[in-house]
Amino acid sequence: LWGNTPTVDVLNLERNEGIDYKEDTALLFAGDLRHVVRRIASLPHNMMQQLDLTMNDLGFDVVARNTILLLLALTIQDWTTVETSTTPLSNAEAFIHVWYSASFPSYVLSQLQDRVKLLIIEVCSKITKKSPSTTLGKTWTFSDGRALRLVLKQKDWLRFADFLDVPEHLSVEDAAAIRRTVLSSMIDLLERRSESPRQS
C-alpha cells in the first residue's frame, strides 16, 4: 500500500525478541494503518499469544478511514457465511478502493453500508442525547475472537455515520478532482522532504 513513508515492521520478532517469543505483546501506532498491516502480515503462523494494537491520530479523517478498513477486515468471516458473493478477491478490491479510490463500484458501497455502517449506526442510536464533547467507547468482538475498540467524542461518532454515504451532490468528476488534490499535496510533501538538507 502506497503512502508518504515506507511501511515498517516495528516489532520484527526475528531480530528483536526472537521467533520463539511467547509473551503477549502490546504495540502503539500513530496514524498509518499500513504499519499495522505489515506487522500482522509478518507474524508467525503458529503465534498463539495475544497481540494488542493501539492506534491514535489527531485527524478524524484518518481515524475514520482506518476504522472502516479494520471493520471490513474483521467482519469478513461472519459476512461470508451470509453473503455467498463475498469472496477473498472482492474483499481485497474493497480494501484497495477504500484506501485509494475517488469512487467505488456499487458492490463496494454495499459492503461498506451493510458491514460497517450498520455497526456505527447502532452506536449512534444509543448516544444521541449525550453531550457532543463526551468521550465514548465501543468494543466489537467478532466470531474468531478478535476485537476492535473505538473511542471517539459523541460528535465524531455522529459524523462517522455520514462517512459511509455518498454526498448527494458529489459527482464522480468532483470526487476525482478532490482525490487528485490530495495526492498532489502528498507528492509535494515527499518532494520537499527529499530536497531538505540532511543533518550529519
Side-chain angles (χ1 to χ4, degrees), residues 11 24-27 39-40 43 47 49-53:
L11 185 58
D24 292 342
T25 304
L27 299 173
R39 170 61 265 153
I40 293 173
L43 290 174
M47 181 177 177
Q49 60 268 42
Q50 181 170 312
L51 180 62
D52 187 349
L53 303 174

Side-chain angles (χ1 to χ4, degrees), residues 117 120 124 156-167:
K117 186 178 180 181
I120 303 303
C124 292
D156 291 329
W157 277 109
L158 300 183
R159 286 175 62 199
F160 196 173
D162 293 335
F163 268 59
L164 296 155
D165 288 323
V166 178

Side-chain angles (χ1 to χ4, degrees), residues 17-138:
E17 288 80 2
I19 199 69
D20 296 323
Y21 185 70
K22 300 300 182 185
E23 300 297 321
D24 292 342
T25 304
L27 299 173
L28 174 63
F29 293 87
D32 199 332
L33 184 64
R34 294 175 307 123
H35 301 301
V36 176
V37 172
R38 174 77 179 271
R39 170 61 265 153
I40 293 173
S42 302
L43 290 174
H45 294 296
N46 61 347
M47 181 177 177
M48 299 298 293
Q49 60 268 42
Q50 181 170 312
L51 180 62
D52 187 349
L53 303 174
T54 301
M55 298 189 66
N56 191 21
D57 198 89
L58 288 174
F60 176 72
D61 292 359
V62 175
V63 173
R65 182 192 64 188
N66 287 345
T67 305
I68 289 168
L69 286 163
L70 288 169
L71 286 173
L72 271 177
L74 291 166
T75 55
I76 284 176
Q77 185 168 327
D78 297 336
W79 191 254
T80 51
T81 62
V82 176
E83 180 55 67
T84 55
S85 63
T86 301
T87 65
L89 179 59
S90 69
N91 283 315
E93 289 175 346
F95 300 148
I96 292 171
H97 276 296
V98 171
W99 196 277
Y100 292 115
S101 296
S103 57
F104 300 150
S106 57
Y107 77 88
V108 173
L109 184 60
S110 294
Q111 286 191 49
L112 290 173
Q113 293 182 333
D114 293 342
R115 288 165 54 182
V116 179
K117 186 178 180 181
L118 291 179
L119 296 175
I120 303 303
I121 287 177
E122 181 184 10
V123 176
C124 292
S125 67
K126 298 175 182 177
I127 64 171
T128 53
K129 295 183 180 179
K130 300 284 186 181
S131 166
S133 61
T134 303
T135 301
L136 303 159
K138 166 66 179 177

